[in-house]
Amino acid sequence: MKNIMVCMKQVLDPEAPLSLFKIDAAAKQAVLPKATPPVLSPFDENALEAALKIKDTQPATVSVISLGKKLVRTVVKAPLAAGADQLFLLEDEIFSDFDSCLTAASLAAAIRKIGAFDLILCGIQAADTNAGQVGTGIACLLGIPCITCARKVELNGDRIRVEKIMPDGFDVIDSALPAVVTTSYEAGTLREPGVEAFMSANKKPLTVWNAQQIGMDKSRSGPAAFLKMEQTAHNIKCEMLEGAGPAEQTLQLVGKMKDAGVF
Amino acid sequence: MTENKTILVFGETTGGRLSPSTYELLGAGRSLAKASGHELAAVLIGSELQPAAQEAVSLGVDLVYRVENSSLKDYSAELYLAALEKAVIHTGPEIVLLSQTAAGKDLAPGLAFRFNTSAAMDCTALEIDPASRRLLMTRPVYGGNAQAVQVCSTNPQIAALRRKSFVPASPESSRQGKVVQIDYAFSPEDCKTRLVEHRVEPATGVKLEDARVVVAGGRGIGSAEGFKQLEELAGILNGAVGATRPPCDRGWIADTRQIGLTGKIVSPDLYLAIGISGASQHLSGFSGAKMVVAINKDPEANIFRAAHYGIKGDWKIVAPLLSAALKKAVNKT
Ligand SMILES: Cc1cc2nc3c(=O)[nH]c(=O)nc-3n(C[C@H](O)[C@H](O)[C@H](O)COP(=O)(O)OP(=O)(O)OC[C@H]3O[C@@H](n4cnc5c(N)ncnc54)[C@H](O)[C@@H]3O)c2cc1C
Ligand SMILES: Nc1ncnc2c1ncn2[C@@H]1O[C@H](COP(=O)(O)O)[C@@H](O)[C@H]1O
């Protein structure tokens, strides 16, 4: 029986309307909008799907771990309905969305505490930090290899075979276990749970730990900090081509292209 | 100013020469070195690196470290990280710069965690703070909806630089610099990972990252058939076709064509965005474009806030007219 851990982060909905996005300049983070609930970071859903695909083919326990200050239960429990076996929530005031060091250390500590692990799956990057560090960090702290940006993960015995996306194609990488693999959307869209799945999800084990229970405190925070954070300004003035009908508008456009030296 | 403070650049090579991303790193590295009075060093990892090392010297690197070994010929996150860590311990740099490339995305965080810190990923601007002398690293967060300025209180300060956001260094053959070999003893048998093969997906036409004209299609294009039409349009201007995430997801076009935060970064003379709403994650991919044109049937679409010219309309009507008009105009010139 293989033990697969999937790290899934609760984030501000990255596809929420731009008009709802506001930065709290003093706190140097986004204001949580009341209208849009958080979601699980999209690439982490791909990671869960990669885990479930493995579980489709062989006996495996899929454990999901989410870490945050305050985790919305309806959001973070969704993986149980999709097919994960158990859920671990690391919840504490000392956690912060942008502290990669503390996050990776805490996830690694929780993974150790849960027990045996063969494969750890993460998203390529969280939708809020856009960093892509935590997966590599967990691997580093556990002293195991990390293969990033996977579009396919196959587990055979005590090895994995990963297709890692490269700019011009992909690498096929063979690795010993345990290992960390990070996935992108190419790894597949998360399956839709059926009604029954929602019912049984509530019976699956859920464990909540605070920082102290995994041996973590503020001293594990990293040395990186934000000096400031600002909303991105898009201040290009767009000239709408207003010719009488599309034919004239395209001619106007061709004129603009020529003036700009495009051809 | 103390002596021997170093900015270390991780240089990447393609076909024995420094890659274009490395030119950008060295451009950024040189201006930081000037502002801080630091020495500019570079580390190259691979095999047969002497020509690339000389190239780095001509680009203004004071000291080039070569970590050379036949088993480093192909990229391996595991081996390259071990080699890079060795170079960092050897040089004790204040700042390490990498590119936001496939390798950089592995190595910057890997290196950071080896030194109990975190890297600033996908940086679009760097500056030395005149007061604290620390590196200010600007990077997008929340999918590009916001920009953060990150600082790190310990050394090395590690930054991965977004492509096409920094002016490349220009060579001068008269420049002098030292090239040093770092010994790297390891046995590939100790490795936990192994590259089985590298598969290149067939690509035709102009390379997306280098194209002067990019015609990008979004969910509004609706089908693979629709993207064929964009190919034709791009062909007239010798351009390349790109896409947002949804068309790649649906298989209308190859995944390698995705532009944006998690796709390719382009900075063409003309970016033609068709049937694209303008999500921040996508806009991040072409912020360097000189002229942006949007065609969208929704006049409220966010893409019009990132475009110089816009046509409100159905692309199925506009695109054929545009193709025809362009063909005529191009033939005349
Ligand atoms: C973590 C993360 C990373 C991401 N990274 C990327 C990335 O790198 N690149 C990327 O592109 N996306 C990325 N996305 C997805 C991104 O958030 C958007 O969902 C995506 O860019 C939307 O693509 P779109 O504009 O094609 O589709 P939509 O938002 O659906 O817009 C379609 C547009 O087409 C218009 N339209 C429809 N029919 C027509 C017609 N006949 N004629 C003219 N116009 C028409 C509509 O008015 C609409 O504006 C990422 C998302 C997340 C969460
Ligand atoms: N708070 C968290 N809880 C669970 N998983 C996380 C958390 N933060 C990061 N991760 C995992 O690490 C990946 C990379 O995060 P990041 O380095 O912030 O981009 C995410 O896609 C998740 O899989």
Side-chain angles (χ1 to χ4, degrees):
Chain A
M1 182 88 126
K2 293 293 175 196
N3 283 300
I4 305 174
M5 312 275 176
V6 187
C7 299
M8 301 183 75
K9 183 180 191 181
Q10 171 186 302
V11 295
L12 200 75
D13 184 355
E15 308 256 10
L18 205 55
S19 56
L20 295 178
F21 183 81
K22 290 280 166 304
I23 290 291
D24 177 343
K28 291 162 202 134
Q29 63 180 32
V31 180
L32 285 178
K34 295 230 161 46
T36 51
V39 296
L40 288 170
S41 194
F43 297 124
D44 303 0
E45 296 195 341
N46 306 124
L48 177 59
E49 178 59 26
L52 296 175
K53 280 200 177 108
I54 294 171
K55 192 179 148 84
D56 287 342
T57 63
Q58 57 191 284
T61 302
V62 174
S63 308
V64 170
I65 314 172
S66 294
L67 172 150
K69 253 193 178 70
K70 216 168 165 39
L71 299 168
V72 178
R73 294 300 189 268
T74 47
V75 172
V76 294
K77 278 166 79 173
L80 292 176
D85 299 294
Q86 50 179 346
L87 179 62
F88 293 87
L89 301 180
L90 313 178
E91 212 171 24
D92 202 296
E93 272 301 312
I94 74 162
F95 295 141
S96 137
D97 283 341
F98 287 93
D99 188 343
S100 310
C101 287
L102 180 60
T103 301
S106 304
L107 289 169
I111 289 166
R112 276 213 184 93
K113 181 164 172 160
I114 293 168
F117 56 90
D118 299 292
L119 177 62
I120 300 164
L121 289 162
C122 288
I124 44 164
Q125 53 180 226
D128 50 3
T129 64
N130 299 140
Q133 306 214 55
V134 167
T136 306
I138 294 170
C140 205
L141 294 164
L142 295 174
I144 59 178
C146 180
I147 302 157
T148 61
C149 214
R151 61 172 214 183
K152 194 168 173 196
V153 191
E154 278 172 358
L155 202 159
N156 307 307
D158 56 358
R159 301 196 73 83
I160 43 165
R161 190 164 273 235
V162 178
E163 291 182 7
K164 172 184 167 68
I165 298 163
M166 297 295 280
D168 59 349
F170 61 94
D171 279 349
V172 180
I173 295 172
D174 169 81
S175 174
L177 291 175
V180 175
V181 175
T182 76
T183 57
S184 157
Y185 73 96
E186 287 96 336
T189 309
L190 181 59
R191 55 196 66 185
E192 291 284 344
V195 184
E196 235 168 282
F198 275 109
M199 311 282 283
S200 63
N202 274 325
K203 300 195 193 89
K204 292 180 176 175
L206 187 161
T207 310
V208 186
W209 286 328
N210 62 23
Q212 200 200 335
Q213 284 170 301
I214 49 171
M216 285 293 135
D217 56 49
K218 267 213 142 88
S219 71
R220 298 301 297 258
S221 288
F226 290 145
L227 279 190
K228 66 173 178 190
M229 193 185 283
E230 282 172 353
Q231 210 153 332
T232 306
H234 295 294
N235 34 22
I236 297 183
K237 213 160 149 25
C238 183
E239 180 184 335
M240 296 303 281
L241 301 173
E242 301 284 12
E248 198 177 312
Q249 289 163 359
T250 51
L251 282 179
Q252 289 174 330
L253 179 56
V254 170
K256 301 287 183 195
M257 290 181 186
K258 191 165 175 30
D259 293 347
V262 170
F263 61 88
Chain B
M1 218 183 319
T2 40
E3 47 178 33
N4 274 337
K5 284 195 175 167
T6 301
I7 296 173
L8 182 67
V9 165
F10 167 64
E12 296 181 48
T13 58
T14 49
R17 284 181 51 86
L18 294 179
S19 66
S21 65
T22 304
Y23 273 68
E24 294 166 6
L25 281 185
L26 293 176
R30 267 181 69 84
S31 46
L32 290 177
K34 221 187 224 162
S36 62
H38 290 6
E39 186 175 61
L40 183 62
V43 52
L44 306 178
I45 301 172
S47 65
E48 294 167 38
L49 295 169
Q50 186 53 29
Q54 280 313 322
E55 200 182 345
V57 168
S58 78
L59 291 166
V61 177
D62 304 305
L63 192 51
V64 185
Y65 296 94
R66 285 162 51 188
V67 187
E68 234 164 4
N69 194 302
S70 60
S71 22
L72 295 170
K73 190 166 156 290
D74 293 314
Y75 172 71
S76 146
E78 198 178 6
L79 294 178
Y80 272 50
L81 183 54
L84 185 58
E85 185 184 5
K86 184 145 186 167
V88 170
I89 291 169
H90 190 87
T91 51
E94 294 243 312
I95 294 172
V96 182
L97 303 180
L98 305 93
S99 297
Q100 184 82 7
T101 51
K105 283 188 248 180
D106 285 341
L107 300 175
L111 201 58
F113 278 92
R114 276 172 167 65
F115 293 92
N116 290 318
T117 179
S118 60
M121 301 303 292
D122 209 16
C123 295
T124 54
L126 297 176
E127 188 193 341
I128 304 277
D129 180 17
S132 67
R133 312 302 293 163
R134 301 304 290 174
L135 184 62
L136 307 182
M137 305 171 273
T138 304
R139 65 183 196 88
V141 289
Y142 296 109
N145 280 337
Q147 309 294 321
V149 178
Q150 186 168 326
V151 280
C152 181
S153 59
T154 58
N155 291 341
Q157 305 162 81
I158 302 168
L161 278 56
R162 172 177 290 191
R163 287 298 320 277
K164 307 196 177 167
S165 293
F166 296 86
V167 182
S170 35
E172 247 173 63
S173 56
S174 61
R175 286 198 179 115
Q176 301 286 316
K178 252 175 46 189
V179 180
V180 181
Q181 180 111 18
I182 300 183
D183 288 322
Y184 179 46
F186 69 94
S187 46
E189 303 84 64
D190 295 342
C191 267
K192 293 176 183 141
T193 59
R194 184 176 63 88
L195 176 67
V196 181
E197 60 173 324
H198 173 67
R199 263 195 249 163
V200 177
E201 305 220 303
T204 49
V206 187
K207 208 172 154 206
L208 186 55
E209 298 96 307
D210 302 335
R212 288 188 53 226
V213 172
V214 172
V215 178
R219 200 196 312 253
I221 300 303
S223 65
E225 202 40 55
F227 271 89
K228 295 248 163 62
Q229 261 175 277
L230 300 193
E231 292 280 357
E232 190 201 317
L233 183 54
I236 302 166
L237 295 171
N238 202 20
V241 173
T244 58
R245 162 84 72 72
C248 299
D249 237 348
R250 288 165 175 71
W252 301 340
I253 188 165
D255 289 320
T256 48
R257 295 278 155 173
Q258 188 191 174
I259 292 170
L261 196 67
T262 47
K264 302 256 152 64
I265 305 288
V266 299
S267 58
D269 293 341
L270 170 67
Y271 193 81
L272 189 51
I274 308 181
I276 292 176
S277 65
S280 297
Q281 293 92 348
H282 181 68
L283 301 185
S284 296
F286 61 92
S287 53
K290 291 201 186 73
M291 176 176 171
V292 178
V293 176
I295 301 172
N296 195 305
K297 64 179 185 189
D298 173 11
E300 297 301 318
N302 194 53
I303 189 75
F304 289 123
R305 288 204 258 164
H308 301 94
Y309 299 102
I311 293 181
K312 176 200 164 276
D314 185 341
W315 75 271
K316 286 182 189 141
I317 294 165
V318 178
L321 289 169
L322 184 58
S323 283
L326 271 174
K327 259 186 216 150
K328 252 197 214 147
V330 170
N331 281 340
K332 257 193 235 154
T333 49

